[in-house]
Amino acid sequence: MQSDKLRPSPIVPTIDLDKQGVQHGFLRLPYSRDDSAWGSVMIPIAVVRNGTGPTALLTGGNHGDEYEGPIALFDLARTLDPGNVSGTVIIVPAMNYPAFRAGTRTSPIDKGNMNRSYPGRPDGTVTEKIADYFTRELLPRADVVLDFHSGGKTLDFVPFAAAHILPNKVQEAKGFDAVRAFSAPWSMRMLEIDAVGMYDTTVEELGKVFVTTELGGGGTARAETVAIAKRGAMNVLRHAGIVGGRIEHRETRWLDMPSGDCFSFAEDEGMIETMIDLGQSVAEGQVIARIHPIGRTGIAPVEIPARMNGLLAARHFPGLVKPGDCVAVVGTVD
């Protein structure tokens, strides 16, 4: 974690985060640029506070081309009844606001990937400054954190909520209980390719209950996945005891990611042919995708076999692939 001797964050909230009632405002980050010498990045934030109780931090737009979270959270910020709240709900629908406005995974200002920039720096890039503010100012306030993701423009997922396997089994159990409450069609015990610099890791190192999602993808949102996001956010708030009412439980099936064999990566460029649809069963050795060379005719496609038995949980979305692209993720069904 960061040293206590770091300079203060340059971000200034335009609202009082501790005030009772409903507030809508911004996290204002000074950003001098060609078209605005004394300009700022204005990140929308809402705080709904009623009495004492737990605090939930709900975030979307960690990546700017993922839309279920922002849709659900802009809507929640507008509609959440403070009379039904016992505690505090902090809502930031688009964390990486420059990326969200541009519709890109990373920031157009500094190419920063928000979810690889934690814990951030108060004297770093724009993306690092935002990450630092969350690390030192917002996360310490929270008891439970829900961060929405989907596949963006390059991946597509079966809709799932997830938590991570952790060394602290009490904290881990609380995370999976919250995932169960979210009630997505699928629930994942998640393994990351590389957890360094992730928001998830920072939240968990602070001892918070953390839930994330992958709710579709393709750089858009569907009615089904938006409904899952809206229902899931309210379910997590009810589960935490912050919002009154009964949890709207739906059937969920559990997936595991037991090892790196879940992931398949392209070693060639070309045009991808998906051989298995999302949610279908996969057998080890079964061809799950083919990559067709596009430089000339007459060349056989490269076949990509599954490395384990399970279910196709994610796939590459664009029609063309490059070496290193993730083309498929297989999860095991519990």
Side-chain angles (χ1 to χ4, degrees), residues 34-228:
D34 289 341
D35 66 345
S36 186
W38 286 8
S40 296
V41 176
M42 304 291 281
I43 304 167
I45 183 172
V47 178
V48 181
R49 186 179 181 90
N50 186 22
T52 60
T55 296
L57 174 59
L58 310 185
T59 54
N62 194 325
H63 296 127
D65 59 351
E66 303 172 3
Y67 295 106
E68 283 82 359
I71 292 171
L73 294 182
F74 273 112
D75 187 69
L76 182 65
R78 179 180 59 85
T79 60
L80 184 59
D81 180 3
N84 200 29
V85 171
S86 298
T88 304
V89 182
I90 303 171
I91 303 171
V92 184
M95 296 171 70
N96 194 344
Y97 196 63
F100 174 71
R101 290 296 301 266
T104 55
R105 180 176 178 84
T106 60
S107 173
I109 296 173
D110 54 26
K111 298 302 180 183
N113 181 336
M114 178 67 74
N115 212 27
R116 299 298 184 274
S117 299
Y118 281 86
R121 293 172 48 196
D123 57 352
T125 65
V126 165
T127 302
E128 289 172 331
K129 289 174 181 176
I130 298 171
D132 170 72
Y133 186 83
F134 273 82
T135 299
R136 292 196 291 155
E137 302 295 338
L138 294 184
L139 287 178
R141 296 171 174 269
D143 299 291
V144 58
V145 178
L146 170 59
D147 185 39
F148 282 102
H149 286 264
S150 56
K153 294 177 180 176
T154 63
L155 291 171
D156 195 13
F157 289 86
V158 295
F160 65 78
H164 295 102
I165 297 172
L166 301 173
N168 183 329
K169 294 306 174 184
V170 174
Q171 182 186 7
E172 174 187 292
K174 290 179 179 178
F176 288 129
D177 284 346
V179 167
R180 192 173 291 107
F182 188 100
S183 288
W186 297 92
S187 297
M188 178 76 80
R189 298 179 180 91
M190 199 163 188
L191 172 71
E192 300 291 349
I193 300 174
D194 180 9
V196 175
M198 293 186 71
Y199 183 54
D200 316 34
T201 305
T202 298
V203 175
E204 290 160 352
E205 287 178 347
L206 289 170
K208 313 297 182 177
V209 176
F210 181 75
V211 177
T212 188
T213 70
E214 296 289 356
L215 299 177
T220 188
R222 306 193 312 273
E224 176 195 11
T225 52
V226 169
I228 292 168

Side-chain angles (χ1 to χ4, degrees), residues 232-243:
M234 289 299 293
N235 279 348
V236 169
L237 292 176
R238 292 178 179 128
H239 173 76
I242 298 172
V243 169

